[in-house]
Amino acid sequence: MIEIVPIDTPTLGDRSYFVTDGEVAFVIDPQRDIDRVLALAEERRVPVIDVFETHIHNDYVTGGLALARATGAAYHVNAADPVDFEHDAVADGDMIRVGTRMRVRVLATPGHTFTHLAYVLEVPGRAPAVFTGGSLLYGSTGRPDLLGPAHTHELVTAQYGSAHRLARELPDDAEVFPTHGFGSFCSATQSEAEASTIGQEKRANPALTLDEKDYVETLLAGLDAWPAYYARMGTSNSAGPGAPDLSEPHRADAAELRRRIEAGEWVVDLRTRTAFAAGHMAGTLNFGLDGSMVTYLGWLIPWGTPLTLLGETPQDVADAQRELVRIGIDRPAASATGGPERWAGGETLASFPRASFDELAAVRHHRPVVVLDVRRALEWDQSHIDGAVHIPLQDLPQRLDEVPDGEVWVHCQGGYRAAAAASFLAAAGRRVVAVDDEYGAGARAGLPIVAAAA
């Protein structure tokens, strides 16, 4: 009996896979925090003897080398990848035996990267399973633009060919197990699917239902910005990252927190946006653990800036650390727990109001306010509030001086990014209101909407 256990990392939109026949196990695309893999191996009492990397990842720091070193497993990486560590170099057509029952066949599937591989699990008596990494995803493919615009056209064409190779060489009942596609910016589009087969993808995936020209045009038209830290992941993964240090950071008192804020360091409050708006230490920034904290913090922070984490509990800080090591932010400069009264050490707490789109519509009848939209460019192009100022959240720290004078009502699609933006504006001394509402409520409130031409 073959067991394939997905290891979800929903905050990054990725999955790793732990595969066992009850005697041995192998792992596909492990994340940096390998203790999750080791726990599965211990629970099932099987050794991990092989680790496979589909590609040099753009969206996270791999745990592949650390896992191989911890378990003694063979670490399989494309022979064409210029990496700086010992590994088992594999290439298209290679067959790797994993224990006595499982075989893994290597397929070259360029497109997401030039050297991307897929791995086909072949076991007598069952349909194959294919681990597709960032090639064929559920209802989509991996995006082809992460290596820069000079390579995008070549890669998107290769991605189309790779999808068709998988569809051609595998039976319709072959199960598909992608690494990306669950919210990852590595996916060209998003899908709600949790499982699929080659046959299902043949019927629904644009890469397999459209002709090449239409697929390329459609995919490229839908690509939007991707997190800035992606540019650092390839270098880190090629160098061979080690296991992370998840020990508790240095504890800072109120005086140290104030010194760090005044020095221009980032002191990040991990509480919910509701709690932060109600009262926070002046100068702190809000990236709540209840949303895409790691993506947006990693996207916005100037790389190398000392980072201090504020959580209500030590577990909050530990959870944030785990998220951050996955993108290469290895050690917080400091941390503090409790609440804003303790962190501020007697200082008056800062706060700002939250509001709905109904309230924004009402206030615009009485006085002029600045409406700041911090959504991404594709979201803005699709529709936006007439008269709004558009500065995507990822650009806001460098463009604060472009926000017009006056009271700023900041919104996004659902509230999380607006809260982060409001914390930057408040720290800069601006009078701000965070719109904590779904964007679609704006039209229902009667706000004038500019929509893209059909």
Side-chain angles (χ1 to χ4, degrees):
M1 178 67 71
I2 302 298
E3 183 184 18
I4 300 175
V5 183
I7 305 172
D8 285 329
T9 306
T11 49
L12 292 178
D14 290 311
R15 283 183 179 173
S16 307
Y17 297 94
F18 178 94
V19 185
T20 180
D21 62 357
E23 294 183 355
V24 297
F26 69 86
V27 178
I28 303 282
D29 289 345
Q31 288 269 344
R32 185 88 180 280
D33 47 331
I34 62 172
D35 54 345
R36 294 186 293 170
V37 177
L38 297 175
L40 283 171
E42 183 176 1
E43 180 183 302
R44 285 159 176 75
R45 298 182 180 179
V46 293
V48 174
I49 64 172
D50 290 275
V51 178
F52 295 90
E53 211 74 80
T54 60
H55 60 297
I56 301 298
H57 300 281
N58 292 295
D59 63 332
Y60 65 83
V61 177
T62 181
L65 182 61
L67 180 61
R69 287 174 172 170
T71 60
Y75 187 26
H76 306 286
V77 178
N78 194 322
D81 284 322
V83 297
D84 298 332
F85 49 84
E86 291 187 10
H87 60 286
D88 178 58
V90 295
D92 185 53
D94 286 353
M95 187 74 74
I96 293 94
R97 290 192 173 275
V98 184
T100 58
R101 304 178 189 178
M102 299 185 288
R103 300 192 314 172
V104 174
R105 179 161 55 99
V106 182
L107 288 180
T109 49
H112 188 48
T113 67
F114 285 106
T115 57
H116 191 285
L117 300 174
Y119 297 101
V120 181
L121 170 63
E122 298 178 348
V123 181
R126 63 157 286 163
V130 57
F131 300 93
T132 56
S135 54
L136 189 68
L137 313 184
Y138 295 155
S140 186
T141 56
R143 59 191 296 169
D145 60 327
L146 298 180
L147 302 184
H151 304 296
T152 298
H153 185 77
E154 181 180 358
L155 285 171
V156 71
T157 302
Q159 189 74 296
Y160 184 82
S162 292
H164 281 261
R165 181 187 186 188
L166 290 167
R168 184 174 61 250
E169 296 192 14
L170 293 168
D172 282 0
D173 59 352
E175 297 174 277
V176 177
F177 295 95
T179 299
H180 304 315
F182 311 95
S184 170
F185 280 86
C186 276
S187 177
T189 59
Q190 299 302 325
S191 168
E192 299 297 320
E194 288 296 317
S196 191
T197 64
I198 289 292
Q200 288 173 287
E201 293 306 310
K202 283 182 178 180
R203 293 188 292 273
N205 195 308
L208 299 174
T209 60
L210 299 177
D211 64 33
E212 183 175 335
K213 179 176 181 293
D214 288 343
Y215 162 78
V216 168
E217 290 178 354
T218 301
L219 185 143
L220 294 181
L223 295 177
D224 203 348
W226 38 272
Y229 64 81
Y230 276 28
R232 300 179 176 274
M233 297 300 97
T235 300
S236 177
N237 288 327
S238 295
D245 178 2
L246 292 173
S247 61
E248 182 180 358
H250 159 72
R251 292 283 188 99
D253 60 15
E256 180 179 343
L257 294 176
R258 176 51 56 199
R259 287 197 303 272
R260 289 185 177 278
I261 291 171
E262 292 176 353
E265 299 182 10
W266 276 36
V267 179
V268 169
D269 189 326
L270 300 166
R271 296 176 301 147
T272 65
R273 58 184 182 265
T274 303
F276 184 86
H280 56 271
M281 184 179 182
T284 56
L285 304 173
N286 183 218
F287 293 88
L289 277 173
D290 59 332
S292 301
M293 180 276 296
V294 65
T295 295
Y296 287 107
L297 193 160
W299 197 335
L300 272 68
I301 190 169
W303 211 255
T305 299
L307 172 65
T308 295
L309 301 174
L310 307 179
E312 292 181 304
T313 67
Q315 188 61 50
D316 289 341
V317 172
D319 289 346
Q321 279 184 265
R322 181 176 290 270
E323 297 284 0
L324 291 166
V325 298
R326 292 170 178 158
I327 64 166
I329 300 178
D330 279 4
R331 288 298 296 166
S335 67
T337 57
E341 292 83 2
R342 177 185 297 179
W343 304 330
E347 293 181 7
T348 301
L349 295 184
S351 64
F352 52 78
R354 296 161 47 248
S356 66
F357 279 110
D358 281 327
E359 290 170 298
L360 173 58
V363 80
R364 290 181 94 187
H365 289 300
H366 301 292
R367 65 179 189 275
V369 297
V370 177
V371 178
L372 176 63
D373 184 336
V374 296
R375 298 175 303 152
R376 293 188 298 278
L378 279 183
E379 296 170 291
W380 166 270
D381 290 343
Q382 185 175 13
S383 78
H384 56 267
I385 296 170
D386 191 24
V389 175
H390 180 229
I391 303 177
L393 174 60
Q394 66 267 19
D395 298 335
L396 184 61
Q398 292 77 41
R399 297 176 59 186
L400 284 170
D401 59 352
E402 296 180 30
V403 180
D405 293 339
E407 181 180 319
V408 183
W409 288 57
V410 57
H411 81 86
C412 60
Q413 194 74 20
Y416 187 88
R417 286 174 288 175
S423 72
F424 281 95
L425 290 161
R430 298 300 300 269
R431 185 181 177 194
V432 62
V433 178
V435 179
D436 194 356
D437 202 352
E438 293 293 330
Y439 173 71
R444 295 192 294 271
L447 290 163
I449 302 296
V450 178

